[in-house]
Every structure is written in C-alpha cells, then in structure tokens.
C-alpha cells in the first residue's frame, strides 16, 4: 500500500490534459494478482478488504484537502441510467466494475475525482481505481 504514490498520481491527473477524444482518466492504483477467474472466495474477500482499507486511507487524506467525500452508489447510477439512456464515461465503466465511489468535485479545476474498489466481477481481479473527469456524476 503506497498511499503517497496514489495521492501524487491523483494530483497529477487533476491537471494533466485528457487523452484526445476522452474527457477523463481512469487508472488502477492497486490490483490483485491471481484472482482472475474467481479464485478462492476467502482470498477474494481478503483482497476486497485490503483495497477498501487502501481506499479509506486515500479518502482520509483527500478529505483533509477537499472536504468529506460524497459516497455515490454506482448500482443506483446503473439502474437510473438504464432507464434514461446511455451512461457517460467514466461512470459507465465504474458502474460496471464497482458498487460505490467516493467522490469529490475539485474546486478550481472543473474536474471530479472518484475512488472505487472494482470487485463486482468475480471472474476479474480486484482493483482500486481512481477516475478524474470533467463529467459530473449522472
């Protein structure tokens, strides 16, 4: 767990230009190895717990800087936008991979930052994700 490295990368993404044609960055801060294909349920649970603790440590430091995070239910986003139409990125990918996101609107940048533990797909690795986007959450 390298919280300082995670914070530095998030800081950089708040000011780095977006790739051509995209209005967001989506990065893996940390990820498991060997859980693709399901793995043992106990191992997966340990990995999820580890990345949730890592997310919470990053959240605590960012909260000192930007205020308390808003917790966004990505499952609700997925359900709401299924009825209303297409989900904008990076929210579509986050909704498909994670259950909740910790969210800040970063003053003076026009950007949103989201942290999420991607654990919805039991056939994939568990990951701690960070998204930085111009697109407000749906």
């Amino acid at each position: 767990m390298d919280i300082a490295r995670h914070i530095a990368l998030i800081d950089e993404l708040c000011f780095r230009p977006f790739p051509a044609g995209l209005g967001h960055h989506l990065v893996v801060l940390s990820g498991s190895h060997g859980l693709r294909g399901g793995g043992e349920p106990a191992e997966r649970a340990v990995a999820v717990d580890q990345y949730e603790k890592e997310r919470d440590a990053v959240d605590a430091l960012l909260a000192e800087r930007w205020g308390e995070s808003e917790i966004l239910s990505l499952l609700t986003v997925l359900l709401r936008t299924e009825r209303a139409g297409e989900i904008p990125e990076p929210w579509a990918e986050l909704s498909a991979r994670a259950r909740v996101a910790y969210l800040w609107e970063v003053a003076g940048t026009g950007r949103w930052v989201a942290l999420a533990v991607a654990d919805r797909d039991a056939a994939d690795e568990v990951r701690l994700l960070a998204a930085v986007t111009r697109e407000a959450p749906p």
Side-chain angles (χ1 to χ4, degrees):
M1 182 172 13
D2 192 346
I3 302 307
R5 190 181 80 229
H6 298 343
I7 297 290
L9 180 56
I10 291 167
D11 283 342
E12 179 185 335
L13 295 176
C14 284
F15 296 98
R16 181 191 293 174
F18 293 117
L22 291 180
H24 69 276
H25 300 288
L26 182 61
V27 297
V28 176
L29 298 176
S30 295
S32 65
H33 300 285
L35 295 179
R36 186 175 303 278
E40 292 296 319
E43 288 178 77
R44 187 167 188 81
V46 168
V48 169
D49 185 58
Q50 172 190 339
Y51 294 118
E52 286 176 346
K53 287 177 181 171
E54 208 166 317
R55 178 204 56 209
D56 292 348
V58 173
D59 174 57
L61 290 174
L62 292 179
E64 290 176 10
R65 185 185 302 176
W66 296 331
E68 290 298 314
S69 60
E70 176 184 335
I71 298 178
L72 175 67
S73 168
L74 294 170
L75 296 174
T76 302
V77 168
L78 192 59
L79 292 172
R80 257 191 340 219
T81 52
E82 278 180 351
R83 285 182 262 149
E86 188 175 315
I87 304 171
E89 289 297 349
W91 306 109
E93 186 166 351
L94 285 174
S95 295
R97 297 173 72 184
R99 299 171 203 294
V100 297
Y102 287 43
L103 182 67
W104 298 265
E105 184 175 13
V106 184
T109 68
R111 296 183 181 202
W112 292 82
V113 171
L115 288 175
V117 175
D119 68 334
R120 284 193 63 209
D121 185 352
D124 200 359
E125 300 291 342
V126 178
R127 295 180 176 96
L128 176 60
L129 304 175
V132 177
T133 180
R134 279 187 238 138
E135 185 74 39

